[in-house]
C-alpha cells in the first residue's frame, strides 16, 4: 500500500503530463507484481470492488473520535475520506500496512456488510497517507487525473525497447488485473498477449476548438460540417469476438448501456455520440448523466431514459481498416453500411450544408435546442488519426449565454477543492421581488477568485444548515452557461446546462442582477 | 485556593496580554512602553516599543528584521531560566522550541504561576533549543493547528520525500517556499542532517537571517544567492524562497521547477492546492493537535487560556478532560503574510 499511496499523493498535486508519466513509470518499474498490476487497475478503473458508503465511513470514525471534534474537522477539511484519514487514531505503530494485492483479494471475498469491519482493521495498520489511499480506493473516489490512456503511455515506455501505445490498446481489453502477462511482455520476458478477437479500443480522433481567426482563415470548400451533439463521445466495437461500447477515454461502458450493446449485431468499429432520445427528441444532458457511471442499468431506467447513438464515422468495416481513407470515402462507406445494416437505436449524424461563413455562423448560433452544442468542421480529405492532429477537425461551440445572478448559498467543494467554499447556488429576481435559485456552479473561477469567494462567504454568512452557508444577498456573479431548458424538477422552472462562474461583479449592486423572466426568454424554441 | 484569580493580574487589553503588577505586555500588538517578547516573528515582535525584554537571540533577530531603531528603545536580554522580579512578579523565560531564541514566559505572583507559551512545538529542531514544559496553574497556549486533522508527520520523513523527488527529477530545480525566520534555517539544517551536501540557493530576502543564524552558532553549510547562479547550476538544485515569492517572475530562471512549500498547513490537500504547490512538505514549527493536548496535560494546569488559532476545538478537548478552558480572543496573531505558509487560520 505504501508505494501506491505515495504515488497517489504525488499525482494529486502534479499537473504536468511529463511529470505524471515519470511518476507512473517509476511506480511500475519499482513496484513488484502483483501489486503494480492492481495499482494499474485502480488507476484505469479496472477494479470492481465491494465498496463502502460514506455513511459507513462516518460510523467507523464516530466510534473512534469525539463527534464534536469530528464535525469541526470535517467542516475545515471538506472531504470525508481525507478527514477520516487524518483523524483516525494511530493504533499499531509497528504494524505493516496491507499490500494492495492483499486488500483486493480480501475485498473480493468479503461480503458487503463485512467491509467496514475489514476496513477498520486495515486503517489501524496504516499511516495517514496510506489510510487516505485505502479510503479513496474503497469509496471509489481515486480521481487523480490519470486517464487510462496516460497510464498506457507510461506502460509503453516501461521496457528497454518500448512498445507503441496503440499495440497496448489493441490487447488491453483481453487482459485482466493484475496484468502479469502484460508486464512480462513489456519487460521482454514474455510473448505479446493474444487479443483473441476481443473487441478492442482504437484511440479516437479529436478536434481543436475553433477561434475566430482560425475561422477567418479556413478554406471552407475543403470542409464538411456536422452537428456537435451534446452527449458523450463513444466508440462501438463489435465482431465475432464480442461487443463493447467504449468511452472516449477507453473505458468499457457496455454494462451501463445494454440497450445499445443489444443493437450491435454487426462487425464494425464506429465513432458516434451517445445520447438519451425520447420519441425522436434528444433529452437534456442531465438525463444522459443518469445513465452514466453505473455498473448495471435497471430496467426502469432503460425504459425512462432510452439511449441512442448518432454515428459520425467508421473505423473498421468487418476486418477492413478504413482509417487511412479520406473523410469523404469513410462517410460513403458508413452510409452504405448503414443502409444495409439498419441497426436499431442508431442514426447517421447528418452532413450540414456549407454555404459560406455567414450561413454557417447563423446555423451554429441558431442551434439552441437541447442536444446540440455547436458545429463540427472536418476536412473532407482527413484520414482518421489518433489524438488531436492540427488543422483537420475543428469543434465550433456556440457562444455561451450569460446572466448576472445573486449568490445565495455556498458549500464546501469535494475532493480537489475540499475545505474551500467552491460550490455556489445562485438566483435571479422574481416579479414579486424575491430571489429564486436557478442553478449551481462549481467551476469557471480562477484560484484568486476562489480565494476571494471563500473569504467573502465566511465573512457574509447569515445562517448555516449543516454544511450549507446562506449568505447575504449582495454579491453578483456573472454566470455563463451553454443552454437553458425548461424543467419541472427545478423551482424556477428552468435548468441550465453547464453553468460556471465567468466573473465576479463586485461592481454591480444586487438589485441590478437579472430577472428570471430574462432567463426564461433565452429558452430556445422547438422544445417545451 | 487563596491566590487571586489570574484574570485580576493578567488581563486582555486592546494592546494585548497585560501583566498589571509588573506593568508590561507580552507580545503586544502595538507599540507599548514595556514589552516582553516571546520570539521574533513579526506578529509577536512589533516595532516601536520602549523597553523590550527577551532572549538575546530574539533581540538580535528583532534588530535584524526591524532595524536597531525600531527593536525597542531599551533592550534587556535575559538568559533562559534566569529569573528577575518586576513589580512583585517573578518572571523567567523557558525554551519554546519554535524558532531560534523563542521562549515561553513564566510568571509567579502571590503564589500563583502562569505560563504564556508563545508559539511552540514539541518536535526536535536542530536550529533551536527544545521545548521544556513548566508546571503551572494557568497555561496560556497557542492553537495554530488545534484541529485533530493536524497530526504532523516527522519532519525527517518529509525531507526523505523531497530527496526522492530530487532523485526522480534530477534536471528540475526544487523551489521550496519557507518562511524567512525559522522555517528556512530548519529546512536547510534538516537537509544537511539527511546528507545533502550541495550548495543551497537562497532568494535574496532569506540570506541575512541565515547569516545571522550562523553567527548565533547554527551552521547551515554552503549557501549561495540565487541571483547570479546559472541555469545549469540551478538544475537539480534546492532553492529556498519566502512563500510570497513562489509565483514571482524571478523564478523564471529556474529549470522547470518543482514548487514545494514547507508548512504545517500542507497537511490539508485543499490548502496545498490553493497555493498551487506540486510537492507539499508538512513541516511545521507549531505544535500539532496531539502535542498541544499532551503539553496542556504535562503543565498540570487546572486552567487553560487558548489563543491564536482554532480555539474552539482545543477548548472542547481540554474541557472534556476536566481542565477549565476558555478562548482569549486576541486578534492579530498569525496574520502576518508569510508566517508558516502565509495563511491565517
Ligand atoms: Zn511564530
Ligand atoms: Zn505566532
Amino acid at each position: 500500500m505504501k508505494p501506491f499511496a505515495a504515488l497517489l499523493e504525488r499525482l494529486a498535486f502534479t499537473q504536468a503530463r511529463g511529470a505524471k508519466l515519470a511518476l507512473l513509470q517509476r511506480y511500475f518499474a519499482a513496484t513488484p507484481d502483483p501489486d503494480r498490476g492492481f495499482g494499474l487497475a485502480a488507476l484505469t478503473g479496472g477494479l470492481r470492488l465491494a465498496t463502502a458508503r460514506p455513511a459507513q465511513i462516518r460510523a467507523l470514525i464516530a466510534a473512534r473520535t469525539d463527534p464534536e471534534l469530528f464535525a469541526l474537522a470535517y467542516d475545515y477539511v471538506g472531504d470525508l475520506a481525507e478527514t477520516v484519514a487524518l483523524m483516525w487514531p494511530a493504533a499499531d505503530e509497528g504494524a505493516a500496512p496491507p499490500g494492495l494485492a492483499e486488500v483486493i483479494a480480501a475485498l473480493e471475498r468479503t461480503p458487503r456488510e463485512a467491509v467496514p469491519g475489514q476496513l477498520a482493521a486495515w486503517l489501524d495498520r496504516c499511516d495517514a497517507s496510506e489510510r487516505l489511499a485505502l479510503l479513496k480506493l474503497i469509496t471509489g473516489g481515486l480521481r487523480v487525473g490519470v486517464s487510462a490512456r496516460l497510464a498506457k503511455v507510461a506502460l509503453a515506455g516501461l521496457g528497454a525497447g518500448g512498445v507503441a501505445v496503440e499495440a497496448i490498446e489493441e490487447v488491453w481489453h483481453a487482459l485482466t488485473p493484475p496484468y502479469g502477462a502484460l508486464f512480462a511482455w513489456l519487460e521482454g520476458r514474455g510473448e505479446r498477449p493474444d487479443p483473441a478477437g476481443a473487441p478492442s479500443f482504437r484511440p479516437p480522433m479529436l478536434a481543436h476548438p475553433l477561434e475566430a481567426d482560425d475561422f477567418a482563415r479556413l478554406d471552407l470548400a475543403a470542409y464538411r460540417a456536422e452537428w456537435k451533439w451534446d452527449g458523450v463521445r463513444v466508440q462501438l466495437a463489435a465482431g465475432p469476438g464480442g461487443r463493447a461500447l467504449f468511452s472516449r477515454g477507453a473505458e468499457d461502458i457496455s454494462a451501463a448501456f445494454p440497450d445499445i450493446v443489444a443493437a450491435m449485431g454487426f462487425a464494425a468499429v464506429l465513432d458516434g455520440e451517445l445520447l438519451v432520445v425520447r420519441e425522436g427528441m434528444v433529452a437534456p444532458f442531465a438525463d444522459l448523466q443518469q445513465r452514466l457511471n453505473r455498473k448495471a442499468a435497471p430496467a426502469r431506467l432503460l425504459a425512462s431514459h432510452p439511449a441512442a447513438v448518432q454515428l459520425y464515422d467508421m473505423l473498421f468495416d468487418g476486418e477492413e481498416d478504413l482509417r487511412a481513407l479520406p473523410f469523404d470515402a469513410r462517410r460513403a462507406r458508413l452510409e452504405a453500411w448503414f443502409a444495409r445494416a439498419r441497426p436499431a437505436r442508431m442514426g447517421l449524424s447528418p452532413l450540414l450544408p456549407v454555404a459560406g461563413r455567414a450561413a454557417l455562423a447563423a446555423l451554429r448560433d441558431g442551434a439552441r435546442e437541447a442536444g446540440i452544442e455547436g458545429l463540427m468542421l472536418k476536412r473532407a480529405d482527413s484520414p482518421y488519426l489518433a489524438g488531436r492532429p492540427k488543422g483537420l477537425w475543428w469543434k465550433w461551440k456556440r457562444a455561451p449565454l450569460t446572466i448576472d445572478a445573486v449568490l445565495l448559498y455556498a458549500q464546501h467543494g469535494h475532493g480537489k477543492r475540499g475545505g474551500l467554499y467552491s460550490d455556489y447556488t445562485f438566483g435571479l429576481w422574481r416579479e414579486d421581488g424575491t430571489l429564486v435559485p436557478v442553478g449551481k456552479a462549481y467551476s469557471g473561477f480562477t484560484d484568486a477568485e476562489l480565494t476571494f469567494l471563500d473569504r467573502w462567504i465566511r465573512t457574509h454568512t447569515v445562517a448555516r444548515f449543516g454544511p450549507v452557508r446562506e449568505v447575504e444577498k449582495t454579491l453578483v456573479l456573472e454566470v455563463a452557461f451553454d443552454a437553458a431548458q425548461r424543467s419541472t424538477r427545478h423551482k424556477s422552472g428552468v435548468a441550465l446546462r453547464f453553468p460556471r462562474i465567468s466573473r465576479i461583479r463586485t461592481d454591480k449592486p444586487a438589485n441590478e442582477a437579472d430577472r428570471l423572466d430574462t432567463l426564461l426568454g433565452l429558452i430556445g424554441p422547438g422544445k417545451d | 485556593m487563596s491566590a487571586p484569580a489570574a484574570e485580576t493580574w493578567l488581563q486582555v487589553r486592546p494592546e494585548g496580554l497585560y501583566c498589571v503588577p509588573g506593568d508590561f505586555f507580552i507580545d503586544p500588538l502595538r507599540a507599548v512602553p514595556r514589552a516582553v517578547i516571546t520570539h521574533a516573528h513579526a506578529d509577536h515582535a512589533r516595532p516601536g516599543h520602549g523597553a523590550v525584554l527577551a532572549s538575546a537571540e530574539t533581540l538580535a533577530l528583532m534588530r535584524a528584521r526591524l532595524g536597531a531603531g525600531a527593536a525597542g528603545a531599551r533592550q534587556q536580554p535575559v538568559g533562559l531560566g534566569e529569573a528577575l522580579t518586576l513589580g512583585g512578579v517573578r518572571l523567567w523565560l523557558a525554551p519554546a522550541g519554535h524558532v531560534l531564541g523563542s521562549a515561553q514566559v513564566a510568571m509567579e505572583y502571590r503564589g500563583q504561576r502562569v505560563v504564556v507559551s508563545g508559539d511552540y512545538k514539541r518536535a526536535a529542531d536542530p536550529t533551536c533549543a527544545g521545548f521544556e514544559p513548566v508546571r503551572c496553574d494557568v497555561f496560556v497556549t497557542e492553537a495554530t493547528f488545534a484541529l485533530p486533522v493536524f497530526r504532523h508527520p516527522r519532519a525527517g520523513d518529509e525531507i526523505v520525500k523531497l530527496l526522492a523527488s530530487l532523485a526522480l527529477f534530477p534536471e528540475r530545480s526544487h523551489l521550496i517556499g519557507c518562511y524567512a525566520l525559522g522555517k528556512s534555517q530548519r529546512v536547510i539544517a534538516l537537509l544537511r542532517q539527511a546528507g545533502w551536501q550541495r550548495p543551497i540557493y537562497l532568494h535574496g530576502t532569506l540570506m541575512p537571517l541565515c547569516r545571522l543564524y550562523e553567527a548565533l552558532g547554527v551552521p547551515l553549510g554552503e549557501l549561495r544567492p540565487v541571483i547570479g547562479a546559472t541555469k545549469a547550476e540551478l538544475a537539480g538544485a534546492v532553492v529556498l524562497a519566502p512563500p510570497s515569492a513562489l509565483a514571482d517572475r524571478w523564478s523564471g530562471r529556474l529549470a522547470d521547477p518543482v514548487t514545494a512549500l514547507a508548512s504545517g498547513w500542507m497537511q490539508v490537500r485543499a490548502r496545498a492546492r490553493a497555493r498551487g504547490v506540486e510537492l507539499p512538505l508538512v513541516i511545521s514549527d507549531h505544535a500539532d493537535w496531539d502535542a498541544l493536548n499532551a503539553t496542556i496535560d504535562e503543565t498540570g494546569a487546572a486552567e487553560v487560556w487558548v489563543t491564536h488559532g482554532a480555539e474552539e476545538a482545543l477548548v472542547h478537548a481540554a474541557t472534556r478532560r476536566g481542565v477549565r478552558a476558555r478562548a482569549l480572543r486576541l486578534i492579530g496573531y498569525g496574520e502576518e503574510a508569510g508566517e508558516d505558509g502565509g495563511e491565517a487560520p
Side-chain angles (χ1 to χ4, degrees):
Chain A
M1 188 56 75
K2 189 174 276 307
F4 185 63
L7 173 68
L8 293 187
E9 191 175 312
R10 283 287 326 238
L11 286 174
F13 295 99
T14 300
Q15 308 293 333
R17 185 182 142 90
K20 284 184 183 176
L21 280 175
L23 291 165
L24 289 166
Q25 246 160 29
R26 184 188 54 172
Y27 173 76
F28 293 134
T31 311
D33 288 319
D35 273 20
R36 61 174 170 177
F38 286 116
L40 172 62
L43 290 169
T44 54
L47 291 177
R48 292 282 171 264
L49 298 175
T51 56
R53 290 189 310 277
Q56 295 173 309
I57 309 282
R58 280 167 175 275
L60 287 182
I61 192 74
R64 281 170 177 76
T65 55
D66 178 309
E68 191 155 328
L69 291 177
F70 173 75
L72 286 168
Y74 185 32
D75 181 57
Y76 181 82
V77 175
D79 179 275
L80 179 65
E82 190 179 351
T83 310
V84 172
L86 292 170
M87 269 188 87
W88 192 267
D92 302 293
E93 266 284 343
L100 198 51
E102 176 190 342
V103 166
I104 283 157
L107 284 176
E108 271 166 3
R109 49 166 205 269
T110 305
R112 196 168 269 268
E113 65 275 12
V115 168
Q118 173 63 267
L119 175 59
W122 283 327
L123 291 174
D124 282 341
R125 291 161 56 191
C126 289
D127 69 17
S129 141
E130 292 152 5
R131 288 194 292 263
L132 184 57
L134 193 55
L135 285 161
K136 292 277 181 192
L137 189 68
I138 288 180
T139 54
L142 280 187
R143 283 192 287 275
V144 284
V146 172
S147 64
R149 173 81 181 173
L150 191 71
K152 289 167 201 162
V153 173
L155 291 171
L158 192 60
V163 302
V165 65
E166 285 72 22
I168 296 178
E169 293 281 21
E170 275 168 30
V171 300
W172 181 258
H173 291 281
L175 304 172
T176 50
Y179 304 110
L182 173 69
F183 283 107
W185 168 49
L186 295 173
E187 292 173 341
R189 293 179 284 108
E191 290 295 302
R192 179 172 184 231
D194 179 9
S200 73
F201 176 75
R202 322 283 164 164
M205 179 156 175
L206 305 172
H208 281 273
L210 185 70
E211 308 296 345
D213 45 340
D214 297 323
F215 184 52
R217 278 200 301 270
L218 229 50
D219 169 20
L220 280 187
Y223 282 85
R224 304 287 177 255
E226 298 170 352
W227 293 124
K228 175 163 172 40
W229 294 99
D230 185 13
V232 166
R233 184 90 179 273
V234 285
Q235 188 173 101
L236 303 86
R243 304 173 185 185
L245 183 66
F246 296 115
S247 73
R248 204 184 91 175
E251 195 192 347
D252 187 340
I253 55 170
S254 308
F257 293 92
D259 41 357
I260 299 294
V261 174
M264 288 168 57
F266 48 72
V269 178
L270 306 170
D271 184 342
E273 192 90 7
L274 187 62
L275 301 160
V276 164
V277 176
R278 292 193 194 91
E279 290 154 18
M281 193 78 85
V282 177
F285 187 79
D287 286 20
L288 178 60
Q289 267 173 324
Q290 309 258 325
R291 293 279 312 262
L292 295 167
N293 302 322
R294 285 174 175 273
K295 286 169 192 152
R300 193 174 24 78
L301 192 66
L302 289 175
S304 62
H305 291 64
V309 176
Q310 283 285 333
L311 297 171
Y312 293 132
D313 214 322
M314 186 169 216
L315 284 66
F316 281 74
D317 187 354
E319 297 283 291
E320 187 187 351
D321 189 345
L322 308 184
R323 288 177 291 178
L325 299 180
F327 177 85
D328 277 353
R330 293 198 312 278
R331 176 77 194 190
R333 293 287 297 262
L334 175 66
E335 286 177 5
W337 173 85
F338 189 81
R340 283 196 315 274
R342 294 251 156 245
R345 295 184 179 277
M346 291 173 213
L348 278 179
S349 182
L351 288 182
L352 305 170
V354 182
R357 273 171 233 283
L360 214 50
L363 198 59
R364 178 191 77 142
D365 293 333
R368 282 285 171 205
E369 70 259 41
I372 293 177
E373 267 190 301
L375 297 182
M376 296 291 303
L377 297 175
K378 299 178 175 175
R379 271 194 76 97
D381 59 359
S382 56
Y384 194 97
L385 299 175
R388 213 184 289 275
K390 266 246 151 5
L392 298 179
W393 287 11
W394 301 96
K395 55 182 171 190
W396 196 26
K397 285 205 197 186
R398 63 178 175 232
L401 302 163
T402 65
I403 43 167
D404 287 333
V406 181
L407 179 63
L408 303 177
Y409 305 99
Q411 228 178 317
H412 283 310
H414 277 270
K416 185 167 176 277
R417 296 209 179 86
L420 297 171
Y421 286 93
S422 61
D423 176 333
Y424 313 112
T425 302
F426 52 87
L428 297 177
W429 294 107
R430 251 195 310 226
E431 239 11 60
D432 61 1
T434 58
L435 282 161
V436 57
V438 296
K440 271 168 164 255
Y442 328 85
S443 63
F445 36 78
T446 63
D447 284 353
E449 285 170 330
L450 174 59
T451 308
F452 170 86
L453 286 166
D454 182 66
R455 288 235 173 90
W456 192 92
I457 287 154
R458 288 173 198 274
T459 49
H460 294 78
T461 300
V462 296
R464 301 183 67 158
F465 314 96
V468 178
R469 287 185 185 229
E470 181 178 359
V471 296
E472 272 175 30
K473 311 297 180 298
T474 52
L475 186 67
V476 178
L477 303 172
E478 182 182 289
V479 177
F481 55 98
D482 288 352
Q485 290 144 14
R486 277 199 199 285
S487 161
T488 48
R489 285 181 306 137
H490 293 74
K491 198 165 142 197
S492 60
V494 57
L496 300 182
R497 167 88 176 102
F498 190 35
R500 63 268 185 194
I501 307 294
S502 67
R503 265 196 300 166
I504 303 172
R505 296 293 307 265
T506 43
D507 56 314
K508 195 163 200 177
N511 59 12
E512 289 178 21
D514 282 319
R515 293 155 50 110
L516 181 60
D517 290 345
T518 314
L519 178 60
L520 293 171
L522 293 175
I523 294 183
K527 181 160 190 296
D528 204 303
Chain B
M1 203 187 285
S2 62
E7 287 90 337
T8 61
W9 61 277
L10 201 58
Q11 300 175 348
V12 174
R13 298 203 171 172
E15 300 93 323
L17 199 58
Y18 180 62
C19 175
V20 180
D23 185 26
F24 60 84
F25 286 89
I26 299 171
D27 291 351
L29 297 156
R30 49 180 100 145
V32 298
R34 280 148 58 87
V36 175
I37 302 295
T38 60
H39 67 288
H41 275 149
D43 53 332
H44 295 256
R46 311 239 173 201
H49 303 310
V52 173
L53 188 148
S55 71
E57 292 88 348
T58 294
L59 289 171
L61 289 162
M62 282 176 72
R63 285 192 297 273
R65 304 198 84 192
L66 302 172
R74 276 163 296 122
Q75 301 182 346
Q76 183 180 353
V78 55
L80 298 179
E82 202 178 285
L84 50 132
T85 305
L86 295 167
V89 178
R90 206 170 96 89
L91 175 148
W92 71 98
L93 302 181
H98 176 53
V99 298
L100 183 60
S102 66
Q104 311 170 67
V105 180
M107 290 163 286
E108 265 174 12
Y109 182 64
R110 296 195 178 162
Q112 191 179 44
R113 188 186 289 174
V114 179
V115 172
V116 177
S117 74
D119 290 343
Y120 67 98
K121 70 170 172 288
R122 305 301 302 270
D125 180 342
T127 67
C128 67
F131 181 96
E132 285 172 17
V134 180
R135 304 279 304 176
C136 56
D137 302 301
V138 178
F139 184 49
V140 183
T141 182
E142 67 134 317
T144 306
F145 289 111
L147 276 174
V149 290
F150 290 110
R151 294 157 74 204
H152 297 141
R154 278 183 294 266
D157 291 348
E158 298 300 286
I159 295 294
V160 168
K161 268 188 213 167
L162 172 61
L163 294 175
S165 185
L166 282 157
L168 182 64
F169 300 111
E171 299 305 315
R172 301 177 69 189
S173 309
H174 282 58
L175 172 62
I176 309 171
C178 4
Y179 189 54
L181 169 54
K183 188 64 59 67
S184 303
Q185 296 79 19
R186 183 174 177 213
V187 166
I188 295 169
L190 287 167
L191 272 164
R192 298 306 186 203
Q193 270 186 348
W196 186 259
Q197 307 283 1
R198 296 165 55 176
I200 291 174
Y201 292 85
L202 301 183
H203 182 274
T205 56
L206 303 185
M207 192 61 90
L209 286 172
C210 286
R211 293 294 180 226
L212 183 52
Y213 258 63
E214 294 196 291
L216 293 169
V218 181
L220 298 175
E222 189 184 347
L223 307 176
R224 291 184 187 169
V226 72
I227 296 277
T230 64
K231 209 156 183 162
E233 287 172 317
L234 294 176
V238 173
V239 181
L240 267 53
S244 56
L246 284 183
D248 288 0
R249 275 293 87 213
W250 70 272
S251 57
R253 83 181 71 229
L254 303 179
D256 182 20
V258 174
T259 305
L261 187 56
S263 161
W265 299 111
M266 295 296 101
Q267 189 134 45
V268 172
R269 289 189 166 191
R271 302 278 142 176
R273 285 210 185 82
R275 301 300 304 256
V277 167
E278 186 172 344
L279 182 63
L281 298 172
V282 188
I283 301 179
S284 171
D285 283 335
H286 293 270
D288 69 2
W289 173 254
D290 295 332
L292 288 167
N293 283 287
T295 304
I296 288 173
D297 293 348
E298 279 176 64
T299 63
E303 188 170 338
V304 171
W305 299 353
V306 183
T307 177
H308 210 128
E311 290 102 342
E312 198 179 349
L314 195 58
V315 166
H316 174 81
T319 307
R320 293 290 299 262
R321 296 198 302 278
V323 177
R324 242 178 328 151
R326 67 181 180 98
L328 272 194
R329 309 225 176 280
L330 281 166
I331 310 291
Y333 295 108
E335 283 165 17
E336 181 193 24
E339 180 169 11
D340 216 357
E343 203 174 18

